[in-house]
Amino acid sequence: MDQTNQTDLPSAEDLYTQDGGIGRPILRINRSDSGTRGKTAEESDNAISLDSPELYINRELSHLQFNIRVLEQALDVSHPLLNRLMFLLIFSSNLDEFFEIRVAGLKRQVAFSREKSDADGMMPQEVIRQVNDICHEQIERQYRILNDELIPAMEKEGIRFLRRQSWTKKQAEWVKDFFRDQIQPVISPIGLDPSHPFPRLVNKSLNFIVSLEGKDAFGREGGLAIIPAPRSLPRLIRVPDDISDEGDNFVFLSSMIHAHAEALFPGMKVKGCFQFRLTRNADLIVDPEEVSDLASALRGELLSRRYGDAVRLEVVDNCPQDLIDVLLKQFGLSDQELYKVNGPVNLTRLMAVMGELDRPNLMYPLFTPGTAKPLRRGNSIIEAMQQNDILLQHPFESFTPIIDLLREAARDPDVLAIKQTLYRTGADSQIVDALVDAARNNKEVTVVIELRARFDEADNLQLASRLQEAGAVVIYGVVAYKTHAKMMHIVRREGNKIRHYAHLGTGNYHAKTAKLYTDYSLLTSDPSLCDDVHKVFLQLSGMGKTLNMKKLLHAPFTLQKTLVEKIEREAVLAEKGKGGRLIFKCNSLTDPKMIKALYKASQAGVQCDLIIRGMCCLRPGVEGVSENIKVRSIVGRFLEHTRVYYFENGGEEEVYCASADLMERNLYKRVETCFPITAKKLAQRVINDLETYLLDNCQSWTLKTDGLYLSSAANRAEGAEEISAQETLIDAYTQRS
């Protein structure tokens, strides 16, 4: 990563003539202290429209920058060793999805001559070229980090990945027996000849291409064969302690297959055996105009996902060129899409090692999530909600109260109905267990399940069936709009009245990810807010015109428009000398309309602090356009997932939390909610959290004008106090064990 000091950034005048890191000059705009001023004829050639492509960073390249920041964590010795390994493996997982979805989409545009550019003006072919250039460099770097940094460090701690050449006689005998008993019976090697064409290989599966010599039992001359590694077998096998040095010792499945490949081809000589992996297009396409049954359509698409078009080939780096050429030709790929790697081609499967190790000293220490004060008495959660709104921040505060609220509602005789959205919740979900119990207890249970939550489609189809069998009403939202909102609505009879309760969140109803992702949860009985939640459920389950909301902002109807109006309000206040500040924290910022609104606010003098974890297409620091915008990304122990939108509003501060990022798909093509934090103490708490993130100088990265990121830790002044936002929040809200 570029570690140059911020003071070395080019000036606006320099940017006008220099390449800004994206293959085109960044232009400047003329403005005065009070805003954009009129241009003279002499200056007009130097002016730039806010629609100019030079002001926008390409989405895919920004996405890659985030993945690079994740990889950087593997080098950060402030993280425990096994957490560093996890970051390296997460980088692999992220890149897999990036190729499966984003690169595949670009290739599809090119293949069908439907190329179009985004706001940055780059065409798909150029984006693909730059993506491959960056990925080749970073994947090579990833394996260097693994081989030169992490594996030696793990060996010092007694964690070893035993290579074939280092096996002892006893270990080699054990491997031979394991191969014979556990591997060989489930392997089906495929010789390539006219009656055995090249097999259809599953997306991201581990395979071997084998070069053979000799004649088989049928008199066929040796040639090539493919060995698909069984997906049912672990990629990493623990070696028994009685034949190993002290510590934790593992052998790769690939090493076992390499060592005994000849046993799969009796009487033949194996001249070479080389592992490879193919990444395919894994996006699911459902045409809303041609679908009569969304569940049935998705079941059909899930079967085809495993065999989509090829987008990337990974091959071990000692594979001969003639065999590589065979694979490239077979999959219709070019050298640009070939990745030679110095190690296992399926690094993501290494994550299994975490379950095999008991090394708490090599991981972040455990902590006990805090419990919000109103819930500490152990009384009814519903009764606590009757008193005041309750705000939780996960994972620093427990997600358990959300589950307990549902359980309480399921057995409460006064609860009449429960409505719930589910996007990602996990195959074994306590949330779903509670909803099933509620349905069996004769509550009116309605669940809006988003079947198209990427890579969770199969789990969600199973959950839908389970809920339907219990008697719940299951609906799939609106076909053309994913339901991404996180809402729970409880209707309860209290005396002669009906009272409503709601949960609104920025994250999914997923107990496991709630321990890893940062998110806010609001528990409320506010009549206006609960009524708004009720209206959104009506829109999802029935039909009708857009309903007016009292407090809730919701996409695709009012969210984008209202956020822009509030940004414009800050601009007006700034121009009047009445301040003007906003803080946005979300996962991604890609919507050109939102970016343009932020540019205008910056021109008016609004201080814009943006905490954007992942993709950011806005270009900060351009003179006359975005000098007042600062963008930072936090990458640390937890995945930053909260979406918060703060407006200073001339001293009448407003705080909104949301399920939505500032992306086109969230604002225009999804059902999303954005809810105000109206209780002053709770709002101030969120503001304090945001300010803490802005002070972070340990895990933050600053976006520069050229689209690259600068590490705050690497450029922290000598002797400066170290401030980690995540560690600060752990200390503030949790109990360390």
Side-chain angles (χ1 to χ4, degrees):
M1 295 294 294
D2 186 353
Q3 302 294 336
T4 55
N5 193 284
Q6 278 184 292
T7 56
D8 295 329
L9 289 177
S11 67
E13 288 79 8
D14 293 333
L15 290 172
Y16 182 73
T17 56
Q18 292 182 359
D19 187 318
I22 59 166
R24 60 173 65 87
I26 301 172
L27 307 182
R28 65 177 295 184
I29 190 168
N30 299 292
R31 70 183 289 273
S32 65
D33 293 338
S34 61
T36 305
R37 62 178 172 82
K39 301 180 291 293
T40 65
E42 186 177 359
E43 295 171 327
S44 60
D45 288 340
N46 285 344
I48 185 172
S49 163
L50 294 185
D51 292 315
S52 176
E54 288 79 10
L55 293 178
Y56 298 85
I57 298 169
N58 179 265
R59 170 193 168 125
E60 317 307 344
L61 301 185
S62 181
H63 196 161
L64 279 181
Q65 285 295 319
F66 166 66
N67 288 331
I68 292 170
R69 296 196 295 281
V70 172
L71 180 59
E72 286 287 331
Q73 307 309 305
L75 287 169
D76 187 346
V77 294
S78 69
H79 295 302
L81 178 58
L82 291 181
N83 291 102
R84 291 170 61 194
L85 176 64
M86 278 299 298
F87 281 117
L88 182 125
L89 303 181
I90 290 170
F91 172 79
S92 279
S93 178
N94 287 352
L95 269 196
D96 283 351
E97 183 173 345
F98 181 76
F99 275 93
E100 289 174 294
I101 305 300
R102 303 307 308 175
V103 175
L106 293 169
K107 285 173 66 70
R108 191 187 302 117
Q109 285 189 47
V110 174
F112 290 96
S113 299
R114 295 176 180 173
E115 295 183 69
K116 60 179 182 179
S117 64
D118 291 326
D120 60 276
M122 291 182 67
M123 298 302 289
Q125 285 187 323
E126 173 60 17
V127 177
I128 291 172
R129 185 191 66 77
Q130 291 200 32
V131 162
N132 280 306
D133 287 346
I134 294 170
C135 288
H136 276 104
E137 177 184 348
Q138 294 301 324
I139 289 174
E140 181 183 353
R141 183 165 168 260
Q142 175 193 23
Y143 279 86
R144 287 203 311 270
I145 294 171
L146 176 66
N147 294 323
D148 300 343
E149 301 281 341
L150 297 183
I151 287 180
M154 294 173 72
E155 287 176 347
K156 289 181 180 179
E157 297 290 343
I159 302 171
R160 305 175 193 88
F161 303 105
L162 304 179
R163 301 178 184 274
R164 279 177 290 160
Q165 59 268 29
S166 68
W167 293 346
T168 65
K169 184 177 180 180
K170 287 185 177 181
Q171 289 169 348
E173 285 297 320
W174 175 81
V175 168
K176 182 179 180 181
D177 292 342
F178 189 96
F179 180 86
R180 182 192 64 229
D181 298 337
Q182 304 290 331
I183 299 175
Q184 190 169 0
V186 293
I187 280 187
S188 297
I190 302 168
L192 302 182
D193 63 22
S195 63
H196 296 85
F198 203 102
R200 199 177 181 196
L201 303 178
V202 174
N203 180 34
K204 297 186 297 184
S205 60
L206 172 62
N207 302 278
F208 300 82
I209 184 167
V210 182
S211 176
L212 298 170
E213 189 176 80
K215 289 186 178 182
D216 73 355
F218 297 96
R220 295 175 298 182
E221 288 286 349
L224 298 179
I226 300 296
I227 304 175
R231 296 175 72 84
S232 59
L233 294 179
R235 295 300 183 257
L236 204 60
I237 297 98
R238 189 182 188 94
V239 180
D241 292 341
D242 60 352
I243 60 170
S244 305
D245 293 336
E246 185 177 350
D248 299 276
N249 298 273
F250 302 91
V251 173
F252 287 105
L253 174 69
S254 56
S255 294
M256 291 183 166
I257 293 175
H258 276 296
H260 297 284
E262 284 197 350
L264 301 171
F265 306 95
M268 306 288 285
K269 180 180 180 182
V270 172
K271 296 167 59 180
C273 179
F274 308 96
Q275 55 180 302
F276 70 93
R277 187 175 78 141
L278 183 69
T279 307
R280 296 182 180 274
N281 180 346
D283 205 5
L284 299 183
I285 301 176
V286 177
D287 188 341
E289 296 182 0
E290 298 182 4
V291 171
S292 58
D293 184 335
L294 180 59
S296 297
L298 274 174
R299 287 189 182 97
E301 284 290 316
L302 283 172
L303 294 174
S304 65
R305 166 180 278 171
R306 305 171 75 188
Y307 302 104
D309 294 336
V311 294
R312 175 183 60 165
L313 176 65
E314 295 167 278
V315 179
V316 68
D317 60 3
N318 64 345
C319 184
Q321 187 61 45
D322 60 328
L323 298 186
I324 290 175
D325 291 340
V326 169
L327 294 173
L328 289 175
K329 182 179 180 180
Q330 174 63 37
F331 302 128
L333 296 175
S334 66
D335 287 337
Q336 186 185 41
E337 295 151 317
L338 168 70
Y339 289 81
K340 297 181 180 180
V341 299
N342 181 19
V345 298
N346 53 338
L347 280 182
T348 304
R349 295 290 291 272
L350 258 178
M351 288 185 182
V353 76
M354 299 302 174
E356 296 286 337
L357 296 173
D358 183 20
R359 299 294 191 95
N361 61 310
L362 300 181
M363 300 189 73
Y364 274 112
L366 298 175
F367 62 82
T368 301
T371 303
K373 190 173 182 180
L375 303 176
R376 291 175 190 167
R377 302 179 186 89
N379 297 331
S380 160
I381 294 178
I382 289 177
E383 288 179 5
M385 294 170 66
Q386 291 170 354
Q387 304 302 314
N388 293 293
D389 286 355
I390 301 168
L391 183 71
L392 307 176
Q393 186 176 12
H394 316 301
F396 315 111
E397 293 178 293
S398 176
F399 184 76
T400 302
I402 314 305
I403 301 171
D404 289 343
L405 172 61
L406 258 184
R407 288 172 173 163
E408 180 181 336
R411 61 177 181 264
D412 185 339
D414 293 324
V415 168
L416 305 177
I418 301 172
K419 298 180 181 181
Q420 174 92 42
T421 60
L422 294 179
Y423 190 76
R424 301 187 195 277
T425 190
D428 301 317
S429 170
Q430 293 175 302
I431 290 284
V432 175
D433 291 343
L435 290 169
V436 166
D437 289 342
R440 289 174 176 167
N441 290 338
N442 297 318
K443 312 299 181 187
E444 294 297 324
V445 177
T446 302
V447 184
V448 182
I449 296 185
E450 180 47 69
L451 294 182
R452 293 159 298 170
R454 186 175 293 143
F455 300 122
D456 280 330
E457 299 95 343
D459 284 347
N460 286 359
L461 283 165
Q462 292 180 0
L463 295 177
S465 297
R466 184 181 169 206
L467 286 162
Q468 287 169 331
E469 290 170 2
V473 175
V474 176
I475 57 178
Y476 305 131
V478 184
V479 173
Y481 298 85
K482 282 188 179 181
T483 302
H484 193 247
K486 327 296 183 184
M487 306 182 298
M488 179 198 306
H489 181 218
I490 297 171
V491 181
R492 188 171 188 264
R493 180 185 290 113
E494 298 178 6
N496 296 325
K497 296 182 179 180
I498 298 294
R499 189 161 182 178
H500 299 255
Y501 300 86
H503 168 265
L504 291 157
T506 67
N508 297 302
Y509 290 102
H510 196 305
K512 290 183 180 178
T513 57
K515 296 177 182 178
L516 303 172
Y517 295 8
T518 67
D519 276 303
Y520 283 113
S521 280
L522 179 68
L523 299 168
T524 183
S525 61
D526 179 299
S528 297
L529 202 49
C530 289
D531 186 53
D532 287 347
V533 171
H534 170 63
K535 290 176 181 177
V536 176
F537 274 111
L538 284 179
Q539 289 180 333
L540 290 171
S541 61
M543 290 186 174
K545 297 291 186 182
T546 305
L547 299 172
N548 292 326
M549 303 288 168
K550 298 173 183 175
K551 291 187 175 181
L552 204 66
L553 311 180
H554 69 311
F557 305 108
T558 62
L559 178 54
Q560 191 270 350
K561 176 184 176 183
T562 307
L563 288 179
V564 169
E565 288 174 351
K566 292 181 182 297
I567 294 171
E568 291 172 344
R569 182 186 62 193
E570 294 298 317
V572 171
L573 290 169
E575 288 173 338
K576 292 180 178 179
K578 297 182 179 180
R581 189 190 184 200
L582 57 84
I583 307 173
F584 287 180
K585 183 176 185 292
C586 60
N587 300 324
S588 300
L589 169 59
T590 65
D591 178 41
K593 294 179 182 177
M594 193 64 64
I595 292 173
K596 192 185 299 184
L598 291 167
Y599 282 155
K600 290 179 179 178
S602 172
Q603 290 176 329
V606 178
Q607 180 184 342
C608 305
D609 287 306
L610 308 180
I611 307 166
I612 314 295
R613 184 198 78 212
M615 292 177 287
C616 181
C617 296
L618 177 147
R619 194 179 293 281
V622 179
E623 184 179 346
V625 178
S626 55
E627 308 105 313
N628 293 316
I629 301 177
K630 295 180 180 178
V631 180
R632 59 173 45 208
S633 170
I634 306 290
V635 182
R637 172 179 180 177
F638 306 112
L639 183 79
E640 288 298 333
H641 196 252
T642 48
R643 291 97 166 191
V644 182
Y645 305 113
Y646 161 81
F647 303 91
E648 189 178 56
N649 190 28
E652 298 294 325
E653 297 172 310
E654 292 181 345
V655 175
Y656 285 83
C657 294
S659 63
D661 290 308
L662 302 180
M663 303 176 69
E664 298 92 323
R665 70 186 188 194
N666 297 92
L667 299 173
Y668 312 116
K669 290 295 182 181
R670 289 186 175 185
V671 177
E672 305 271 15
T673 54
C674 181
F675 50 96
I677 307 298
T678 54
K680 288 188 176 181
K681 285 186 177 180
L682 300 184
Q684 188 58 53
R685 174 183 157 187
V686 176
I687 296 169
N688 292 344
D689 291 344
L690 291 174
E691 296 288 0
T692 300
Y693 279 105
L694 294 177
L695 293 173
D696 188 300
N697 60 10
C698 293
Q699 297 169 327
S700 63
W701 296 76
T702 302
L703 176 59
K704 303 192 299 179
T705 308
D706 61 7
L708 299 179
Y709 283 78
L710 187 74
S711 167
S712 297
N715 291 273
R716 187 172 55 236
E718 186 175 350
E721 180 185 4
E722 296 183 9
I723 302 173
S724 164
Q726 292 186 355
E727 289 298 319
T728 299
L729 293 173
I730 287 176
D731 290 336
Y733 295 123
T734 72
Q735 303 171 27
R736 291 181 184 269
S737 62

